[in-house]
Amino acid sequence: MSELHHLTDVRAVVFDVGETLVDETAQWTRAARTAGVTPFALLGVLGALIERGEDHRAAWRILGVDPPKRGEQVGADLYPDALPCLARLAEAGYRIGIAGNQPEVAERELRDAGFEAELIASSAAWGVAKPSTEFFTRVLRTLAVKPADVLYVGDRLDNDILPARALGMRTALLRRGPWGYLHARRPEAEHADAVVGSLDELARGLTKET
C-alpha cells in the first residue's frame, strides 16, 4: 500500500457508486422487507458470502425467497463525504468521473443529487458491467486518458481494484461497507495503490492537505 502523495500525478479520479458514494444500508433493508425476510437475516447471509468470496446474489436462494426488483433511488443515501470529496478534487484540477454497476436511471439521480462530473455512467447504459475489462476500457476511452493517469476508487477488490489494476489504472480501495471492510483484510489488498478509510482521507491526500 502506497501513501496517497504518490498518487498526485494522476489526472482523473473515477468513483464507483454503491458503498463508495452511496450508502446502501436502506436499499438492502427495503429489499429484505420486500422479500419477506428480516434485514438481520439478509445482511448476515450477505456478510458470510462476501467473506467466503462467493456471489452475494446467492443470498436469496439460501433464504428461500425471490429477489425483489432493484430499487433505483440513490440520491437520498449519499455518504456525507461524497459530494465534498468530488468538489474538492475538481477544484484542485482533477478530472472527475463516476462509473459503476447501476441502473441507467442512476445517472440522472446522481446529477440531481448534486454531483458534477465529466463522466457519469452506468453499466446498464453501457451494456457492460464490472469486472469486465470492457467496462474500464470504456472509462478510459470516454475520458481519452492513459490508464496510468486514472485513479479508480471503489470498495471491492474483485469488481474494482483488481480489474482496474490489470488494465494499468491506479487504484484506491475504500474501507467501508461490507465488501470494503472484509476485502481490506485480504492479502490482495496490497495490490491497491492506497487503502483509505474515507473519501475525506482520499481528498486530503490527493490535494496534499493535512
Side-chain angles (χ1 to χ4, degrees), residues 1 37 41 68 70 74-75 94 110 124 159 165 177 189 202:
M1 178 178 66
V37 297
R70 182 174 181 173
V74 298
Y94 289 98
L110 288 166
N159 262 20
R165 180 178 183 273
L202 179 77

Side-chain angles (χ1 to χ4, degrees), residues 51-76:
E51 174 65 27
R52 296 201 299 260
E54 299 179 21
D55 189 338
H56 69 282
R57 290 169 294 189
W60 306 111
R61 174 180 53 79
I62 293 171
L63 293 167
V65 296
D66 293 327
K69 291 184 179 180
R70 182 174 181 173
E72 296 183 340
Q73 183 179 10
V74 298

Side-chain angles (χ1 to χ4, degrees), residues 185-205:
R185 295 166 53 89
R186 295 183 179 179
E188 299 97 313
E190 295 182 358
H191 294 306
D193 292 284
V195 178
V196 295
S198 71
L199 295 182
D200 283 336
E201 180 184 345
L202 179 77
R204 289 195 303 269

Side-chain angles (χ1 to χ4, degrees), residues 17-18 22 24 27 69-74 98-111 120-129 135:
V17 179
V22 175
E24 295 182 321
Q27 294 182 32
K69 291 184 179 180
R70 182 174 181 173
E72 296 183 340
Q73 183 179 10
V74 298
I98 302 172
N101 287 351
Q102 296 289 324
E104 189 170 353
V105 70
E107 298 180 12
R108 174 183 55 79
E109 292 185 342
L110 288 166
R111 291 189 180 92
I120 299 181
S122 64
S123 57
W126 277 354
V128 61
F135 181 94

